[in-house]
Amino acid sequence: MKSLLKMTWMESKLFLREPASAFFTLIFPLIYLFMYGAISGNEPTPMYGGRGTIDAAIPSLTAVIISMAGLMSTTITMATYREKGILRRLGTTPIGPLIVLAAQVIVVFSMTCLGMLLLIAAGILVYHVRFEGNAFSMLTGFILSSLSFFGLGFILAGTMPTVRSAWVVAMVLLYPMLFLSGAFFSVELLPAAVQKVSAFMPLTYVVNLLSGLWTGEPWGDHLLDVGVLAGMLVLGIIISVKTFRWE
């Protein structure tokens, strides 16, 4: 436990010292939130079932935070540690792979939570957003979604040979998901052929689950979303354990 606490504290300081990770997790979603607010405000609209644009944007932008944390922060950090020999040096200490992975998950998850809380706080204070769901259900969905994407990030970190290749693959996966999953705008606005592609985007299921829970929909309406994300989490754990390399 002492080793985990020390490792977590070190990872926290390193995360906050890295401008890109902190920006995309904490600031970037807020910029989009205020852009939406400047363009359309938060007046009720039929497009979102009588809810405002900002009401609908908060769970979607939370999905953006999760995807960026999982595919950028986690992937690049672990790949960098391996390429620079940091993991090899840690391998000569009593710290095992489990502590390294756990510390990274704790830090990135905490920052992802902070990013979501900043979104909600801005929405409430500036746009008077409405939350119609259950806080515990929303938190549970957030945890499941976050861990499933962290697993994907660890898979990339463990299988890509260099930091550069990890970055390229992460970007190739991330950007199509952001624009085709409903994270930035409703999938219904896309052409019918493109809407079919969104079913193959993991982030689609995060957006669907969080948006539904935010508006009070029951878990039974999102069994497919839960199943896909739970499957990603299990596969992520199994493959991460198999592919984790000190060097």
Side-chain angles (χ1 to χ4, degrees):
M1 180 59 71
K2 188 175 181 180
S3 297
L4 177 59
L5 291 175
K6 287 184 176 180
M7 193 71 185
T8 302
W9 176 244
M10 182 193 73
E11 291 290 346
S12 300
K13 292 189 290 185
L14 291 174
F15 184 95
L16 294 174
R17 289 174 184 173
E18 175 52 51
S21 297
F23 174 79
F24 283 108
T25 305
L26 305 177
I27 307 301
F28 179 77
L30 285 174
I31 293 175
Y32 263 88
L33 186 75
F34 291 127
M35 286 176 55
Y36 290 150
I39 293 171
S40 58
N42 197 33
E43 297 299 321
T45 171
M47 181 185 299
Y48 298 114
R51 293 181 295 275
T53 301
I54 305 301
D55 293 327
I58 287 183
S60 298
L61 290 176
T62 298
V64 172
I65 296 174
I66 290 171
S67 64
M68 288 187 169
L71 290 179
M72 292 179 64
S73 297
T74 303
T75 302
I76 304 307
T77 298
M78 297 305 294
T80 301
Y81 282 5
R82 188 181 65 247
E83 187 170 297
K84 292 186 175 181
I86 296 174
L87 290 181
R88 183 178 65 251
R89 291 194 291 272
L90 288 174
T92 63
T93 71
I95 298 176
L98 183 59
I99 291 179
V100 176
L101 296 176
Q104 187 64 207
V105 168
I106 290 171
V107 171
V108 177
F109 178 75
S110 299
M111 296 303 167
T112 307
C113 285
L114 180 57
M116 180 185 69
L117 291 175
L118 289 174
L119 272 180
I120 295 174
I124 292 174
L125 295 175
V126 181
Y127 300 106
H128 309 290
V129 298
R130 296 180 296 166
F131 175 59
E132 302 168 349
N134 177 276
F136 179 77
S137 291
M138 188 68 187
L139 178 60
T140 303
F142 174 79
I143 293 173
L144 173 61
S145 301
S146 298
L147 295 182
S148 67
F149 263 79
F150 294 168
L152 183 56
F154 279 121
I155 290 174
L156 293 180
T159 55
M160 293 297 103
T162 65
V163 176
R164 183 181 296 273
S165 61
W167 176 266
V168 170
V169 174
M171 292 300 99
V172 168
L173 292 175
L174 178 62
Y175 282 108
M177 283 196 290
L178 291 178
F179 291 103
L180 299 178
S181 65
F184 283 142
F185 42 80
S186 177
V187 173
E188 285 72 21
L189 299 176
L190 300 173
V194 179
Q195 290 184 30
K196 295 179 181 179
V197 177
S198 68
F200 297 94
M201 302 290 171
L203 190 60
T204 298
Y205 301 96
V206 177
V207 174
N208 290 343
L209 178 60
L210 296 184
S211 296
L213 296 177
W214 181 266
T215 58
E217 294 178 1
W219 283 87
D221 291 351
H222 297 277
L223 294 180
L224 175 61
D225 304 320
V226 172
V228 171
L229 295 176
M232 286 176 55
L233 174 57
V234 172
L235 286 176
I237 293 173
I238 294 173
I239 297 176
S240 296
V241 172
K242 297 291 185 181
T243 59
F244 185 88
R245 294 174 289 139
W246 291 109
E247 55 183 326

